[in-house]
Amino acid sequence: LPRQRHVYQREKSRLRASKKRRKLTGENWVERVDGLTQLPFWYNEDTGESVWEKPKIILELEADQIANEKKWNAMPLKSLVLIMSFLVPFPERMTCSRVCRQWKAA
């Protein structure tokens, strides 16, 4: 009985970690097509939730991927604002804003 309990708890822990990983990586969302309207929608396989717009986690992951491909010019605005908050307002932020339009917007 103690061995079965250990196996059960290990499997439960593995499933919980797997679910958390899918949530963080957006793997639990799949794009499907509505049978009536033939329009695409997003379905969360873990929670059963469905939405018409692309989920926030998918949008953030796509933005990060584009930023990695295009380097500093395509960094997400949210990340830039956080970086800029560490800089001294006048000389440092003004110097950074000359790098590109995206940095100027931040």
Side-chain angles (χ1 to χ4, degrees):
L1 190 64
R3 181 163 170 74
Q4 285 86 1
R5 185 179 304 132
H6 175 69
V7 170
Y8 170 76
Q9 288 177 347
R10 187 178 62 204
E11 183 65 16
K12 185 176 176 183
S13 174
R14 188 189 66 77
L15 289 173
R16 193 178 310 122
S18 175
K19 186 174 181 178
K20 189 173 190 176
R21 179 187 49 79
R22 286 193 313 272
K23 182 178 179 182
L24 292 174
T25 59
E27 292 176 8
N28 55 353
W29 288 98
V30 292
E31 189 174 18
R32 295 194 176 166
V33 177
D34 183 39
L36 186 62
T37 63
Q38 298 302 315
L39 294 173
F41 69 95
W42 290 87
Y43 178 73
N44 187 323
E45 293 178 331
D46 289 340
T47 63
E49 177 185 4
S50 58
V51 293
W52 291 106
E53 296 85 25
K54 198 176 273 193
K56 185 179 177 182
I57 185 72
I58 302 291
L59 293 173
E60 289 175 357
L61 291 171
E62 287 176 354
D64 286 342
Q65 183 179 6
I66 291 170
N68 286 335
E69 291 171 2
K70 295 186 178 184
K71 304 299 179 202
W72 293 102
N73 289 331
M75 184 179 277
L77 190 59
K78 183 178 176 183
S79 302
L80 276 175
V81 170
L82 179 65
I83 291 169
M84 295 287 188
S85 70
F86 293 109
L87 300 176
V88 176
F90 180 68
E92 293 177 353
R93 286 187 192 170
M94 295 307 286
T95 304
C96 289
S97 70
R98 295 183 194 136
V99 173
C100 68
R101 275 184 248 137
Q102 183 76 351
W103 284 43
K104 191 171 187 171

